[in-house]
Amino acid sequence: WNVKQLFVYITAHYKTEKNAFNQVVLWDKIIRRGESARLQYSRVNPKYYFWDDGFGLRGNPNVTLALQYNVIPNSGRLLNIYAEGRHVVSMPENYIKGRA
């Protein structure tokens, strides 16, 4: 009864030589009270792109994708929750400039 909305987002976490912890938001969605909170997506493009201050993503074999969400209440504490499960991906050595 106290939940106003959910802010759901996917983050990518990775290490580089310059920074021990990097985090980038790739996708997000706001789910308001009364809307269906069931998310079923496949082959979704990122809403936001990877931006790195160097070349830390290029060829990085250990980029972890995680689902997180904030429970935004009508009143009270703002909860930040990590969903269970992670997915580790390897980034390519070379980037492309367009889509095929």
Side-chain angles (χ1 to χ4, degrees):
W1 63 269
N2 192 29
V3 176
K4 183 177 182 180
Q5 62 189 27
L6 296 175
F7 179 68
V8 182
Y9 53 104
I10 296 175
T11 55
H13 307 261
Y14 59 98
K15 290 182 182 181
T16 62
E17 289 182 17
K18 290 184 179 181
N19 301 309
F21 182 75
N22 297 281
Q23 182 177 10
V24 179
V25 175
L26 299 175
W27 175 88
D28 64 26
K29 180 166 178 63
I30 295 173
I31 302 171
R32 300 188 195 296
R33 184 194 320 200
E35 292 180 11
S36 174
R38 185 174 182 177
L39 302 175
Q40 288 186 305
Y41 294 104
S42 63
R43 298 184 183 260
V44 174
N45 289 324
K47 190 173 183 180
Y48 310 105
Y49 294 103
F50 280 109
W51 290 103
D52 190 26
D53 62 352
F55 297 99
L57 280 171
R58 188 172 288 182
N60 192 324
N62 193 18
V63 177
T64 304
L65 303 177
L67 178 70
Q68 296 174 247
Y69 59 96
N70 297 109
V71 177
I72 302 171
N74 290 311
S75 66
R77 266 180 56 189
L78 176 68
L79 300 174
N80 183 25
I81 301 167
Y82 284 86
E84 290 185 25
R86 305 277 184 270
H87 187 73
V88 178
V89 297
S90 296
M91 298 300 287
E93 289 287 338
N94 298 310
Y95 297 141
I96 59 172
K97 291 190 177 188
R99 294 190 179 179

